[in-house]
Amino acid sequence: MNYKSFITNVPDFPVDGIQFKDITPLLDDEEAFHSAVDDMAEYAKEIHANKIIGPDARGFIFGASVAYATKLGFVPVRKPGKLPRETLEIEYDLEYGTNKLCIHKDDIGKADKVIIIDDLLATGGTVKASIDLVERAGAEVVGLAFLIELTGLNGKENIKGYPYKSLLKY
Amino acid sequence: MNYKSFITNVPDFPVDGIQFKDITPLLDDEEAFHSAVDDMAEYAKEIHANKIIGPDARGFIFGASVAYATKLGFVPVRKPGKLPRETLEIEYDLEYGTNKLCIHKDDIGKADKVIIIDDLLATGGTVKASIDLVERAGAEVVGLAFLIELTGLNGKENIKGYPYKSLLKY
């Protein structure tokens, strides 16, 4: 499917100079959303993932849907103060600003082969932080999937050595 | 399915006196998560919804998954500063604190029969704000679905007249 026709470019959002890729028209289209989740689910099966991880908040949209489609469990990576039990925590740089992410210490472990799913691979900061959390929890990252890859920001460098799939590239 | 066995009670989170219902063990269990999404999807079909709405952030988990399961489009209700195009906005009281929510002005319209999906019905503030946004956008709310209903907080009063289903009650 030509996913690009469902992505709206919004200039200067959230700050001047950023060309924001708005995915809401794709989510809003039942065929396009369904097909994107199916493509990610197929990839998750190919790499034999047995657990799906999605970072707060847009990673929940594709992560949880792929978990449903593959009939696997879903583990959220969240901002501080959101997960109520004991967490592992990491701070990292964003495309604009900094961020902190957490995972429940006992949500994943040695038996887990994890795929991390997010809507966007930009600089790769969020997914690299998620990889670090997963590995500190003792699980293995077998792959990554993104709806969009912004190739100009070279996020690839941040996730060297990890197989990944992006459904569309700019 | 006995969903309650997958919910962990965490006392005094996020503030003293709150008994937080942690849904992450349910998400992490492939059978329980899949079954909960199926139950909500069945209800969405029963009430002839043609669009799924989920509020930021945990509403994305069930909302998007039910959208996939029913092959309907998904529209996010988000915190301010997250949606890049023109939005409708509403401020409301939370169980603890206040919150503001937004929806893209053109994501839904007169033809849409909406189901709003969230993990939790507490005081009903978030879902009532989402109902108001949907109706201001010109669409019809045909029902609501929640994983958990905290009956003691009487959120039912806030959503009077709207059909809803909750998968488990405390």
Side-chain angles (χ1 to χ4, degrees):
Chain A
M1 181 173 278
N2 174 20
Y3 296 120
K4 265 195 190 171
S5 61
F6 297 98
I7 307 294
T8 304
N9 188 69
V10 183
D12 300 324
F13 184 90
V15 294
D16 275 5
I18 301 288
Q19 300 289 320
F20 189 84
K21 305 302 175 201
D22 178 18
I23 66 165
T24 59
L26 184 142
L27 304 177
D28 202 359
D29 184 275
E30 57 264 39
E31 299 287 343
F33 177 57
H34 205 85
S35 171
V37 172
D38 280 343
D39 285 353
M40 289 182 180
E42 198 181 319
Y43 180 65
K45 282 177 199 158
E46 247 174 68
I47 60 174
H48 305 292
N50 65 10
K51 192 74 76 181
I52 314 282
I53 304 265
D56 203 332
R58 287 181 309 191
F60 292 179
I61 294 175
F62 285 97
S65 301
V66 173
Y68 175 83
T70 53
K71 215 172 179 182
L72 293 173
F74 175 70
V75 174
V77 164
R78 299 215 66 180
K79 286 160 194 155
K82 297 292 185 180
L83 294 171
R85 292 178 292 109
E86 201 184 346
T87 60
L88 298 168
E89 197 174 299
I90 192 166
E91 195 170 357
Y92 67 102
D93 294 329
L94 272 183
E95 192 182 349
Y96 21 86
T98 67
N99 205 6
K100 216 181 255 188
L101 286 177
C102 307
I103 198 168
H104 270 149
K105 218 168 173 174
D106 61 359
D107 269 354
I108 49 172
K110 279 193 179 132
D112 290 317
K113 294 176 184 305
V114 164
I115 180 170
I116 302 172
I117 295 181
D118 207 352
D119 64 332
L120 184 72
L121 175 62
T123 63
T126 299
V127 68
K128 183 57 170 64
S130 302
I131 290 171
D132 288 350
L133 286 173
V134 167
E135 292 180 345
R136 278 168 56 195
E140 183 190 354
V141 176
V142 293
L144 321 164
F146 309 95
L147 179 64
I148 298 174
E149 178 179 358
L150 302 178
T151 54
L153 294 172
N154 216 14
K156 239 181 4 188
E157 281 304 304
N158 242 329
I159 54 171
K160 241 183 195 163
Y162 296 92
Y164 76 98
K165 185 186 179 94
S166 48
L167 302 191
L168 63 149
K169 295 182 191 205
Y170 288 94
Chain B
M1 183 174 275
N2 174 21
Y3 295 120
K4 265 194 191 171
S5 61
F6 296 97
I7 307 293
T8 304
N9 188 69
V10 183
D12 299 323
F13 184 89
V15 294
D16 275 4
I18 301 287
Q19 301 289 321
F20 189 84
K21 305 301 174 200
D22 178 19
I23 65 165
T24 59
L26 184 142
L27 303 178
D28 202 0
D29 184 276
E30 57 264 38
E31 298 288 343
F33 177 56
H34 205 85
S35 171
V37 172
D38 279 344
D39 285 353
M40 290 183 181
E42 197 181 322
Y43 180 66
K45 283 179 198 158
E46 244 175 71
I47 60 173
H48 304 292
N50 65 9
K51 191 75 77 183
I52 314 284
I53 305 264
D56 203 332
R58 286 180 309 191
F60 293 179
I61 294 174
F62 285 98
S65 301
V66 173
Y68 175 83
T70 53
K71 215 174 178 181
L72 293 173
F74 175 70
V75 174
V77 165
R78 299 213 65 180
K79 288 160 194 157
K82 297 291 185 180
L83 294 170
R85 293 180 291 109
E86 201 184 345
T87 59
L88 299 168
E89 197 174 299
I90 194 167
E91 193 169 359
Y92 67 101
D93 294 328
L94 274 183
E95 192 182 347
Y96 22 88
T98 68
N99 204 5
K100 216 181 256 190
L101 286 177
C102 306
I103 197 169
H104 269 148
K105 217 170 173 173
D106 61 359
D107 269 354
I108 51 172
K110 278 193 179 130
D112 290 319
K113 295 178 183 304
V114 164
I115 180 168
I116 301 171
I117 295 181
D118 206 353
D119 63 333
L120 183 72
L121 175 62
T123 63
T126 300
V127 69
K128 183 57 170 63
S130 302
I131 290 171
D132 289 350
L133 286 173
V134 167
E135 292 180 345
R136 279 168 56 197
E140 184 190 351
V141 175
V142 293
L144 321 164
F146 309 95
L147 178 64
I148 298 174
E149 179 178 357
L150 301 179
T151 55
L153 294 171
N154 216 15
K156 238 182 7 188
E157 281 304 304
N158 242 329
I159 54 170
K160 239 184 197 163
Y162 296 93
Y164 76 99
K165 184 185 179 92
S166 48
L167 303 192
L168 64 149
K169 295 183 193 205
Y170 288 93

